[in-house]
Every structure is written in structure tokens, then in C-alpha cells.
Amino acid sequence: MKKIASPLFQDLSEAELDTLAVAGHLRTRQFAKHEVIFHAGSCVREIGIVLRGSVHIENLDLWGTKSILSSVGAGQAFAETYAFCGEALMVDAVAAEHCEILFLHTAALTDARIEPALQDKLLRRLLAEGIAVTACDRSSREKLGPLADELEAAGATLHLGEGYLDGLTQDVIFRTPGLRPDVPQLLAAQRQGSTLTSEMEVFFQVCPCHMIAVTGSDGKTTTTTIIVELLKAAGRTVHVGGNIGQPLLCQADDMEPEDWAVLELSSFQLMTMDRSPHIAVVTNLAPNHLDVHKDMAEYVAAKENIFRYQRPGDIAVFNQDNDITRQQAERAVGTVRLFSRRSEPEEGVFLRGEDILCRHNGQEHRIMTTADIRLPGVHNVENYMAAIAAVEGLVPDGIIRDFARTFNGVEHRIELVRTYHGVRYYNDSIASSPSRTIAGLRSFPEQVILIAGGYDKHIPFDVLGPEIVEHVKLLVLCGATAGKIRAAVEQAPGYRLDHPEILEVTPFQRAVEAARDRAQPGDVVTLSPACAAFDQFKNFMERGKTFKA
């Protein structure tokens, strides 16, 4: 019997996770309809997880009569011995249809932030079924605090500290997005026969319904949210996951074939994917996350996995105005839909004057005007066009128009926090790259007071410098990249001394205060850092909430 590392199936933020695994004994097997999986009276404790198909749990009474106790579907676990009122109940587990089963016995888990994972229903189910779960975390026990006691009380064993990844010998290891697949410990485990996978990869294998997945450098969350809300408004049942929403693997057994799973996927999640969704959306691509990826080529290749494994009849949506995604469209095997503000593709969504039109099979129709979109900025026009291309044929035009007129956007994305003493304060903490900050700056007709800087992802700021010169009256810099951004501005064409004025202030709270103190009635103060938050915060959400406080 082999060993496995299986996930908690909890998709936490990239900044919080290192790796997540549940380690134990493994065997997989396919069963024909009516074939017995577990015999009544078996005394070996083992857990089965249904990968495909379904299983009937049948009771064997003292007279040999069988009755169906329950049905177990894809994503659900079942035990070889069921206990009721402290007594072991003799049961058969029988294939209700052709199915594939993954069998587990013991488990281990690695995670850089355990608290959310503890809430995961599959983790609790594994612990309840007697799986020996080991939680591995780089943090010390002191740093984990009460969480360590919680996990141990729930039955988990802890493996903490700098060597938390050492000694992985499982046959299957579930990697979380924040951990590269080629770290030495994982490579060593693979050389010894381990198979590397992830929560999202397994979900793609067992998901019973239609899937739409969105990736890109900017606009992923807003585009994903628009797609989700449009499908809901059209009466569809939607399950949201990936970077936003809930861990969907645990919900797979509750999904129906006519449902829709909508996912936001990062390059880290896509790196090792070998399946693609029915509908794939790439919003745009620009240098990002080069602190993790070896180079731009690796970053782009990871993103390409979202459509690489599609089949004829699947749909891939690309930004025709972006050089990289326009080239990717030529490599897509499915039906290509393009969206553009600058041209009119033969198949897709485009802007003609202020009208947003959709062209399909040579026929075009007007969806709405840009004035219908409540969200500011041309980048949000692009987000809507990408979403419309994805849901074409699924959502009526009237629903799209009505939604666009009322949707206020997603938190931390050019979010109007308040107007104070005549000054409008905007939280654009999601802007963790120059391209996203540029889009935010272009959303305002007036010059703004910009708070920027943060964690260094080793991406160039050259393109940001001229935009700051054009759109910013006062630049307040803080964080590790303050010097790099200042240099990009001072070297930009059109820069003159104090145009814009540049302040370097630390820590973050003092930078916000400096912007507030210099603002006059009628000004706009926007937090749009062009950098990740990890130098001072856990993530961009914490940074945004600190700004709003």
C-alpha cells in the first residue's frame, strides 16, 4: 500500500500559504456498477474518496437483509466501518455506477496559515474519520498561539519551524499556490516517487458542472465577479472559487451538471495545471510576480495553461489590444472570442464610439453604452467586455445593462472610502503592479495625490514614471520600492523638479497622514501602490483596510 499527501482543499491567499498537504496511505481503483468496494464485516479502517461516479452504502442486518443507508458522490468521503451510537455497523460499500475511488489511511498537512484551513470541512471530516493529519508550518508554536492547541485537540500532529518541509515522503503531495513546485524538498520527494498536484487540479478532475476560469495580470477579480453576478442574475446556480469565493473541492458533491463553477486563477495556481475550463478568459498580460517566477517567459507560460488543454468546441477569450494575449489567441484550439477598445474583431466584443457591441457568426448587436457602466475607468470597460464575451449566449443583454448600472465594484479596487473635508479618498490597494496603478490613475480626470510603494516583486517601473508625471500632483512613497519608483519618475520625459512633488515617508500610516495633511478641498487621494503589500502587511486586503481605518 502506498502513501499519499492529500490537501485540505482550502484555497488561501498566495501570501499566506507555503504548501498544504494531507499525507497517508493511498491506492486508487476503478469499480464497475454493482461491484462491492468494501465488504460488510471488514475490520481494516480505511477512507475512500469518490473521484468519479457514486457509491451506495448498504446496511447488512442480522438476517442478511441489505438496505441503502446513503449515497456518496464525487468529492465525498466514506469509511470502511460506520459507527452509530458507539457501535460498529456492518456495511457494504457498492458502486452505484462505474466509479473511481481514492483510498486513504493516514495524512499530513503543510500550511503557512492554519486558522482558515481548520474550518475546512474536509479537514474536519478526515480528522473525524481517524486520518492522522500532520500540520506543517514555518511559524513557531508561539506564533501560532491558540491555533496550535486547536489543531492538536482536533487530532492533528504539528511539524513547525524552518524545517517544516523536510522529510516529505508521501506518494502524492498537494501544493498550494504560494509554493513553487521546484523547491528542493518537493523535488526530492518527487525523485523518490511522489506525485505533485494541487487542490485546484483535483477539482478540475471531479467538477461535475460547466467551468469558466479567468486569469490575467490585472482585472481578474472584477471580471470574475461580473461573470458570477451576471450568471446569477440570469437564474444560474454559480459556485465561486480559486482566488476568491470558497474552496470548491469540498462542494463538488453538491454541484449539479447544469451549474456553473467560476474561478479566478493566478499564475501560481496554473503553473502545474494539465486541464483547462470550458470557457477560459485572459484579461491582459504584463510583467508581474517576477519575484516568484524565474522570468517573464515562465509567467506567460503558466498563464497559458488556462487554455492550453482545451478541446475543439471550448471557448477562449483574449484581449486583442494586448500584444501577449493577441499572440496567445493564435495558439488556442477552441473557439476564440476577442474583446477590444481599439478595433472590431470578427468574433467577440468591441467598442464603437461609446457603444459596446458583440459580434457572433457575422451578426452584431449592441449590448450597452459605456455610460451604463457605473464603475470608473476605461479598464473597467475592458473588464465588462471580457465578461460579456465569456457569457455571450448565456445572459440576456437587458440583464447585463441593468447590472452594469448598479454594480459598485469590488472592495480595494478604486473603492471610494469617504469624502472628508472636501477630499475624496480612494482605496485601490489591489494595484500591486504598475499596469494596474496606471489604469487607476487614468480613471480620474484631475491630477491626484498618490500613495505608492511596497514589496519589491522585481518588476520594472519605467512605464509608471511618465504616467505619474502626467496624472499626479503629489507622490507619497513608502516601502521597499520607494527609491525605484522615485527614480522612474525623475527619469521620465516631462519631469521637472517638484512636478510632481515627491515625499518618502515611513511607515505606511505616516504616509497616509502626510497625504491627508497636504490635501485641499477638491483633491483626490488614492492608495494605488503598484507593488505587493508583503513588506509591511500580510496582503493587499490588510493594507487597504489599514488605509480605510
Side-chain angles (χ1 to χ4, degrees), residues 238-278:
V238 184
H239 309 273
V240 188
N243 278 349
I244 61 176
Q246 301 294 322
L248 293 184
L249 189 53
C250 292
Q251 300 178 12
D253 56 304
D254 298 323
M255 297 177 185
E256 300 295 337
E258 64 271 17
D259 293 352
W260 287 85
V262 182
L263 313 167
E264 178 195 321
L265 299 179
S266 69
S267 59
F268 306 138
Q269 290 164 312
L270 287 165
M271 281 182 77
T272 52
M273 293 288 287
D274 58 4
R275 299 190 184 207
S276 298
H278 170 58

Side-chain angles (χ1 to χ4, degrees), residues 297-310:
E298 183 186 81
Y299 174 66
V300 171
K303 293 290 194 179
E304 199 153 312
N305 283 342
I306 199 169
F307 67 88
R308 188 189 307 275
Y309 304 102
Q310 287 188 314

Side-chain angles (χ1 to χ4, degrees), residues 427-434 437 450-455 461 464 477-478 481 485 508 526-533 540 543:
N427 167 28
D428 195 25
S429 184
I430 185 63
S432 59
S433 66
T437 294
L450 172 65
I451 303 172
Y455 174 78
F461 295 102
L464 181 60
L477 294 171
C478 67
T481 57
I485 297 176
F508 178 79
T526 179
L527 168 67
S528 191
C531 304
F540 74 87
R543 176 173 61 190

Side-chain angles (χ1 to χ4, degrees), residues 132-150:
V133 177
T134 301
C136 304
D137 193 300
R138 181 182 296 161
S139 302
S140 65
R141 187 181 186 92
E142 291 72 25
K143 187 174 181 179
L144 286 180
L147 291 178
D149 296 332
E150 274 188 69

Side-chain angles (χ1 to χ4, degrees), residues 42 54 61 71 182 185 199 266 452 463 502 518 545:
S42 174
S54 60
D61 65 20
S71 294
D182 56 1
Q185 297 93 330
E199 180 262 343
S266 69
V463 295
I502 303 175
R518 295 292 299 275
K545 291 183 183 298

Side-chain angles (χ1 to χ4, degrees), residues 1-7 9 22-30 38 45-51 100-108 131 169-174 193-197 202 205:
M1 190 170 289
K2 298 181 179 180
K3 292 185 282 185
I4 182 173
S6 169
F9 309 114
V22 178
H25 298 294
L26 162 72
R27 58 188 173 94
T28 59
R29 182 181 162 190
Q30 295 188 2
F38 290 150
R45 184 76 170 183
E46 191 163 78
I47 306 301
I49 296 178
V50 181
L51 297 181
E100 182 176 3
I101 310 297
L102 174 71
F103 297 99
L104 296 170
H105 184 62
T106 61
I131 303 296
T169 59
Q170 299 83 358
D171 293 296
V172 181
I173 299 174
F174 279 73
S194 296
T195 299
L196 192 64
T197 187
V202 175
Q205 294 172 15

Side-chain angles (χ1 to χ4, degrees), residues 208-507:
C209 65
H210 312 288
M211 275 193 287
I212 301 176
V214 180
T215 196
S217 297
D218 303 318
K220 294 188 299 294
T221 301
T222 298
T223 301
T224 303
T225 303
I226 293 171
I227 291 171
V228 168
E229 297 304 323
L230 289 178
L231 290 172
K232 287 181 179 179
R236 314 271 182 171
T237 299
V238 184
H239 309 273
V240 188
N243 278 349
I244 61 176
Q246 301 294 322
L248 293 184
L249 189 53
C250 292
Q251 300 178 12
D253 56 304
D254 298 323
M255 297 177 185
E256 300 295 337
E258 64 271 17
D259 293 352
W260 287 85
V262 182
L263 313 167
E264 178 195 321
L265 299 179
S266 69
S267 59
F268 306 138
Q269 290 164 312
L270 287 165
M271 281 182 77
T272 52
M273 293 288 287
D274 58 4
R275 299 190 184 207
S276 298
H278 170 58
I279 301 176
V281 180
V282 187
T283 59
N284 50 66
L285 285 176
N288 204 350
H289 299 302
L290 299 186
D291 58 323
V292 176
H293 290 288
K294 294 178 179 178
D295 50 34
M296 186 65 181
E298 183 186 81
Y299 174 66
V300 171
K303 293 290 194 179
E304 199 153 312
N305 283 342
I306 199 169
F307 67 88
R308 188 189 307 275
Y309 304 102
Q310 287 188 314
R311 300 174 181 177
D314 289 340
I315 297 166
V317 177
F318 298 95
N319 185 343
Q320 184 165 283
D321 300 338
N322 182 274
D323 291 340
I324 299 174
T325 57
R326 185 172 59 252
Q327 294 170 13
Q328 287 181 327
E330 299 173 0
R331 298 190 287 274
V333 298
T335 300
V336 171
R337 295 177 182 173
L338 301 171
F339 66 93
S340 173
R341 289 191 296 113
R342 301 169 183 164
S343 61
E344 297 187 4
E346 294 183 3
E347 186 82 12
V349 181
F350 56 90
L351 197 60
R352 181 184 292 161
E354 297 301 316
D355 291 335
I356 297 175
L357 295 96
C358 180
R359 181 180 288 157
H360 178 58
N361 291 334
Q363 302 294 316
E364 64 181 50
H365 57 101
R366 177 179 171 275
I367 305 291
M368 60 184 176
T369 71
T370 56
D372 289 318
I373 299 176
R374 187 180 180 93
L375 298 180
V378 293
H379 63 292
N380 279 315
V381 174
E382 293 181 347
N383 292 337
Y384 266 98
M385 290 195 296
I388 291 168
V391 301
E392 167 65 16
L394 300 173
V395 179
D397 296 350
I399 288 177
I400 297 174
R401 281 193 298 273
D402 291 344
F403 174 77
R405 290 165 180 165
T406 58
F407 180 53
N408 289 316
V410 184
E411 187 181 16
H412 308 299
R413 292 154 178 84
I414 318 183
E415 171 195 10
L416 177 60
V417 177
R418 65 175 63 87
T419 300
Y420 180 70
H421 290 173
V423 179
R424 287 175 292 150
Y425 291 84
Y426 286 86
N427 167 28
D428 195 25
S429 184
I430 185 63
S432 59
S433 66
S435 57
R436 194 183 287 266
T437 294
I438 290 170
L441 292 176
R442 291 177 178 177
S443 300
F444 301 103
E446 64 270 78
Q447 286 195 321
V448 303
I449 297 174
L450 172 65
I451 303 172
Y455 174 78
D456 191 353
K457 295 195 289 184
H458 305 298
I459 55 180
F461 295 102
D462 299 356
V463 295
L464 181 60
E467 298 288 338
I468 290 177
V469 170
E470 181 178 354
H471 296 285
V472 175
K473 61 189 295 186
L474 173 64
L475 175 61
V476 183
L477 294 171
C478 67
T481 57
K484 289 186 176 181
I485 297 176
R486 173 189 278 273
V489 173
E490 293 178 343
Q491 295 168 15
Y495 172 76
R496 293 176 291 117
L497 183 64
D498 291 335
H499 291 84
E501 183 181 355
I502 303 175
L503 303 178
E504 291 192 35
V505 185
T506 56

